[in-house]
Amino acid sequence: MATEFTLSDNVGKQQKEESKDEAHLVSTYPKTGFSHPPLFIALLKLYKQYYGLHQNLPKLFRVTVGEHILLEMAEAMKLIVMANFNKKNPQRAEETAQMVLTLRGKIEVLKAYFLIGWEMKFISHGFYALVNDKMEDISKQAYSWGALLEKQKK
């Protein structure tokens, strides 16, 4: 059975840890002139939270759906980085918009995978609620980014 995560006890603690994580993420990047968008940071935080749970999932679920969750998140982060890198190149506007559209599809797939884990009782109610809120936020950010890219194409 998955590690139980009680939302009410850990919300304040979680928010403090997130602000420390974000400060750590920003401060440890080398000064290259390239910065990741908040969408990437939000997905990276979710990846780290899920990875802690992933190790405690039942083996069959972990090596099937659990591995797909990790792969989809990694691919989504790659799409974010590539789209962010291409955003200043007008010749690649169509390709960048397609990357963000693909990213939105991956986010929906991730939501479905987490729902499967919750329905099978491998993911607790509290953790699922936390993941669902974060996925909604990530989805809204991706939608806004895609809308902005579509507007810039015209």
Side-chain angles (χ1 to χ4, degrees):
M1 191 55 114
T3 305
E4 196 66 27
F5 182 91
T6 56
L7 188 60
S8 60
D9 295 339
N10 293 323
V11 169
K13 181 180 174 184
Q14 187 72 25
Q15 289 172 344
K16 288 178 187 175
E17 288 176 8
E18 283 179 7
S19 62
K20 285 192 326 190
D21 283 348
E22 192 167 316
H24 171 73
L25 290 172
V26 171
S27 66
T28 57
Y29 286 142
K31 302 290 183 204
T32 61
F34 183 79
S35 63
H36 294 294
L39 180 59
F40 178 85
I41 303 299
L43 196 56
L44 179 60
K45 285 184 203 177
L46 182 61
Y47 186 94
K48 289 168 60 177
Q49 288 176 320
Y50 173 72
Y51 190 77
L53 173 72
H54 177 80
Q55 299 169 13
N56 298 318
L57 292 172
K59 185 176 182 178
L60 185 58
F61 184 82
R62 185 176 66 236
V63 299
T64 54
V65 176
E67 290 296 319
H68 285 289
I69 290 172
L70 291 174
L71 288 172
E72 290 289 336
M73 280 200 240
E75 288 176 15
M77 287 188 283
K78 180 181 176 182
L79 285 168
I80 293 167
V81 170
M82 295 303 294
N84 190 44
F85 183 74
N86 286 343
K87 74 180 177 188
K88 300 213 175 180
N89 187 346
Q91 290 84 16
R92 294 195 158 187
E94 185 66 38
E95 181 183 351
T96 304
Q98 186 60 42
M99 284 180 191
V100 174
L101 186 62
T102 303
L103 169 66
R104 291 179 54 208
K106 289 192 177 294
I107 291 168
E108 293 304 316
V109 169
L110 282 166
K111 287 180 184 179
Y113 285 153
F114 281 115
L115 178 63
I116 292 167
W118 178 71
E119 285 286 335
M120 296 182 73
K121 311 257 187 272
F122 298 141
I123 295 176
S124 70
H125 297 302
F127 189 81
Y128 180 71
L130 183 72
V131 165
N132 202 32
D133 286 346
K134 288 182 184 269
M135 291 301 294
E136 282 300 315
D137 181 51
I138 290 167
S139 182
K140 287 176 186 175
Q141 289 182 51
Y143 176 79
S144 297
W145 194 13
L148 178 66
L149 289 171
E150 287 296 324
K151 197 176 199 181
Q152 288 175 347
K153 278 192 333 187
K154 293 178 181 179

